[in-house]
Amino acid sequence: MFCNQCEQTTRGDVCHQWGACGKSPEVDALQDLLVHCLRGLSQVALQAKSLGIATRETDEFTCEMLFSTLTNVNFSVDDFINFVNRAIALRESLKLQIKATGNAVVESAMANFQPDSDTKQQIQQGKDLEFAFIGQSAKNIDIFSLKLTVLYGLKGLAAYAFHACELDQHDEGLYTFCHEVLANLDAQDKTLEEWLALALKVGEINLKAMELLDAGNTTTFGHPTPTVVPLGSTVGKAILVSGHDLLALKAVLEQTVGTGIKVYTHGELLPAHGYPKLKQTYPHLHGHYGTAWQNQTHEFDHFPGAIVMTTNCLMPPHQSYQDKVFTLGPVGYPGLQHTSIRDISSIIAKAESMPGFESECDRGTVTTGFARNAVLGVADAVVNAVKDGSIRHFFLVGGCDGAKPGRNYYSELVEKLPDDCVVLTLGCGKFRFFDKDLGNIGGIPRLLDVGQCNDAYSAIQIAVALAQAFDVTVNQLPLSLVLSWYEQKAIAVLLSLLYLGIQNIRIGPTLPAFLTPNVVKILSEKFQLKLITSAEQDLAACLS
């Protein structure tokens, strides 16, 4: 196998025997087979679009399937075989519709590719396609590096677009772009500069995907407001919901009304408590349990109720607790029970059969809900605090958390910040310091939880509004971005920031393995992108 799409790759290079995430070589091969089938499907979908044939089902399917190949989403051979078969069925259905218009269907090897009916042969096909793609691209390693950047960024974009379409937020241009990238990923005539431009275009379209998701979330659940969230537990039966999917959380809350079951969030669902139409409508949304995704094996083992995984961040479960873990949507793992948000009766039954929390436990509180509306509502106070010197500098410290050494840097950085600095944070990277009491400056909290990783959109809007208030560019603000990355959504967000021309971003704990030294050099020269060093050294540089 060949997989270098996430931060935990073996020796910082590539996973070639077994995925560090727990992904088997067989699943890796089937994921590559699925992407190949999606590329052929996209070629046909683009022709269908040009003829006015409706492709919404294919559009949504393509985004969901790209999402399924993200790190820590789906580990199931059976699921990927089903996904491949459905991709072929959608492709052939579109072909029939094209032929019905009197037009000849696009001819290409990918558009006519047929997966074998035997599972072992499908796996071999995936491996062959994977290494053919590598071999085809290996003539220029820098172009191959940017080609992978484009593909991995597209996967992150597709994840956000999938969540947005769940909330009935769509953009035809976004879907067309995804198909165009997939259909032309094997292009041999693009220069290094053209592949870099395409990577930045992925960032541009990802910004649209995050905007759509923001619109879906705020329209459906209201604009987040600062909300105090208990970290402890209360007596009673319990369900824990992890991941990112607010709509899935809402389904769990709706179907547990009147059952006496308390619902807890985990991981990146902490910001859900800030949405008024969730917290105020469902008082049995009690609080937040646990921290970031990489701690789930210990945290899930001790949770006395049912557990629901709604998106990526699933780790291979331990046998001691796998019977109480359920998956939704594109998430899957062999042996785990998969269900639909339309009927979670099996999850409720499991929760009712378990002991639940037998005593109260007070572990303190945290505050979330500082999205753009909440922060911009006090923008005048923020601007005045900067002008009178009460606030010297803003730090955006966030992104994906992970298990590799070196991530204590982020907590050390926050702990060492002078008292006249404010931290905005988002993503699960905040769990390194989310429960720190940093106090406030003139009533403005020094630690502001903006939300999930996709709420980078909110953070960008905050930065743009402050820049306008000071009549400067974002790059001229007293603002430093210090980001942690782990998987493909983080790559998509980084590409969005680079598309916007944001300079001097610090990223860590390591550089992506798929970036060659020359590509890193180009990004460093063009955007002053930097690898983190030490908390002390970077802090001094940011405040100089």
Side-chain angles (χ1 to χ4, degrees):
M1 64 183 286
F2 177 96
C3 186
N4 63 357
Q5 68 179 7
C6 81
E7 185 264 340
Q8 65 181 352
T9 49
T10 305
R11 294 187 298 275
D13 182 21
V14 62
C15 294
H16 56 86
Q17 291 184 320
W18 195 277
C21 64
K23 178 172 65 174
S24 70
E26 291 77 19
V27 167
D28 177 73
L30 290 171
Q31 288 182 350
D32 286 311
L33 178 63
L34 174 61
V35 171
H36 185 81
C37 292
L38 292 177
R39 291 169 62 194
L41 173 60
S42 287
Q43 290 181 346
V44 177
L46 288 171
Q47 184 184 12
K49 286 178 182 290
S50 71
L51 297 171
I53 297 171
T55 61
R56 181 57 54 80
E57 182 182 5
T58 295
D59 298 338
E60 294 185 11
F61 173 78
T62 299
C63 289
E64 183 177 7
M65 291 302 97
L66 285 174
F67 184 18
S68 75
T69 68
L70 260 71
T71 306
N72 294 92
V73 175
N74 197 305
F75 301 79
S76 170
V77 166
D78 290 343
D79 283 355
F80 281 105
I81 290 172
N82 291 333
F83 296 160
V84 165
N85 291 339
R86 188 175 170 208
I88 299 301
L90 284 171
R91 186 192 72 190
E92 296 306 305
S93 174
L94 286 178
K95 284 183 178 181
L96 290 175
Q97 295 177 66
I98 291 170
K99 290 177 181 176
T101 67
N103 288 275
V105 179
V106 58
E107 285 292 331
S108 76
M110 282 192 296
N112 292 308
F113 175 81
Q114 288 295 331
D116 200 282
S117 59
D118 178 74
T119 297
K120 288 184 178 180
Q121 290 304 312
Q122 280 196 21
I123 291 169
Q124 187 59 51
Q125 283 180 310
K127 291 179 179 179
D128 293 342
L129 289 165
E130 175 183 50
F131 287 104
F133 178 70
I134 295 169
Q136 178 192 66
S137 307
K139 298 172 186 176
N140 187 316
I141 193 65
D142 294 326
I143 285 180
F144 182 49
S145 171
L146 285 172
K147 189 176 288 192
L148 291 178
T149 304
V150 167
L151 176 59
Y152 299 158
L154 189 73
K155 290 185 178 188
L157 184 168
Y160 293 141
F162 168 70
H163 287 311
C165 74
E166 282 188 307
L167 296 165
D168 201 27
Q169 298 290 322
H170 305 276
D171 184 89
E172 183 62 27
L174 182 154
Y175 294 136
T176 298
F177 175 77
C178 289
H179 290 308
E180 288 174 344
V181 171
L182 288 171
N184 297 290
L185 198 59
D186 60 347
Q188 300 296 305
D189 57 349
K190 290 184 185 294
T191 65
L192 187 68
E193 291 73 20
E194 288 173 326
W195 279 108
L196 178 58
L198 183 58
L200 296 179
K201 185 68 176 180
V202 171
E204 177 186 358
I205 304 301
N206 182 62
L207 194 62
K208 167 56 71 174
M210 291 193 295
E211 181 183 12
L212 289 170
L213 181 51
D214 178 87
N217 284 337
T218 54
T219 300
T220 307
F221 308 113
H223 282 277
T225 58
T227 303
V228 177
V229 183
L231 298 177
S233 55
T234 188
V235 175
K237 306 291 186 178
I239 292 176
L240 183 65
V241 187
S242 186
H244 303 72
D245 199 322
L246 296 178
L247 192 65
L249 174 61
K250 179 175 181 286
V252 172
L253 290 167
E254 282 181 334
Q255 294 175 59
T256 50
V257 169
T259 63
I261 295 173
K262 300 292 185 183
V263 176
Y264 297 78
T265 56
H266 178 268
E268 285 228 52
L269 276 175
L270 168 62
H273 294 268
Y275 287 90
K277 292 184 182 178
L278 286 175
K279 185 62 178 176
Q280 295 173 14
T281 306
Y282 305 102
H284 61 299
L285 175 58
H286 176 71
H288 189 78
Y289 176 91
T291 51
W293 66 272
Q294 76 274 9
N295 301 318
Q296 68 186 248
T297 52
H298 172 76
E299 293 168 353
F300 286 5
D301 196 31
H302 288 82
F303 188 78
I307 300 168
V308 186
M309 296 300 301
T310 67
T311 59
N312 58 316
C313 303
L314 172 65
M315 294 180 70
H318 287 185
Q319 190 173 8
S320 61
Y321 65 80
Q322 68 177 14
D323 66 322
K324 63 183 179 184
V325 180
F326 297 77
T327 59
L328 296 174
V331 187
Y333 193 89
L336 295 188
Q337 301 176 67
H338 189 83
T339 190
S340 165
I341 63 172
R342 291 184 292 274
D343 180 10
I344 66 159
S345 56
S346 57
I347 300 172
I348 293 173
K350 185 64 180 180
E352 290 177 332
S353 72
M354 297 187 68
F357 288 102
E358 297 176 346
S359 61
E360 300 282 335
C361 179
D362 184 359
R363 297 184 182 275
T365 63
V366 294
T367 303
T368 189
F370 292 102
R372 70 181 191 282
N373 267 31
V375 175
L376 296 181
V378 294
D380 289 344
V382 173
V383 170
N384 290 334
V386 174
K387 288 181 176 179
D388 68 21
S390 301
I391 295 178
R392 179 175 24 157
H393 206 85
F394 296 91
F395 286 82
L396 176 59
V397 185
C400 307
D401 204 1
K404 267 191 175 182
R407 289 183 177 269
N408 286 341
Y409 163 94
Y410 297 95
S411 53
E412 291 174 8
L413 181 74
V414 170
E415 290 167 1
K416 293 178 185 297
L417 290 180
D419 291 342
D420 55 1
C421 294
V422 172
V423 179
L424 291 89
T425 188
L426 47 79
C428 61
K430 65 171 157 274
F431 289 111
R432 294 279 166 173
F433 49 81
F434 79 126
D435 54 354
K436 303 289 184 187
D437 183 4
L438 301 185
N440 65 83
I441 300 174
I444 301 167
R446 290 188 57 229
L447 180 59
L448 302 171
D449 180 6
V450 179
Q452 297 180 338
C453 55
N454 53 281
D455 289 312
Y457 174 78
S458 237
I460 290 168
Q461 300 310 307
I462 292 169
V464 169
L466 289 176
Q468 291 173 345
F470 288 107
D471 194 24
V472 297
T473 68
V474 170
N475 288 321
Q476 293 172 316
L477 285 171
L479 169 67
S480 297
L481 280 69
V482 187
L483 307 179
S484 54
W485 86 281
Y486 174 73
E487 40 83 351
Q488 298 79 68
K489 288 186 292 182
I491 294 302
V493 171
L494 177 62
L495 292 175
S496 292
L497 294 171
L498 296 182
Y499 158 73
L500 292 170
I502 306 299
Q503 303 278 317
N504 295 302
I505 299 170
R506 284 173 167 80
I507 186 172
T510 59
L511 287 172
F514 52 84
L515 295 183
T516 61
N518 191 44
V519 170
V520 172
K521 182 173 180 285
I522 292 170
L523 295 177
S524 177
E525 291 174 349
K526 188 175 180 66
F527 300 103
Q528 284 71 58
L529 183 68
K530 300 173 175 65
L531 180 64
I532 60 171
T533 58
S534 69
E536 295 84 355
Q537 185 176 331
D538 288 348
L539 182 57
C542 292
L543 294 176
S544 63

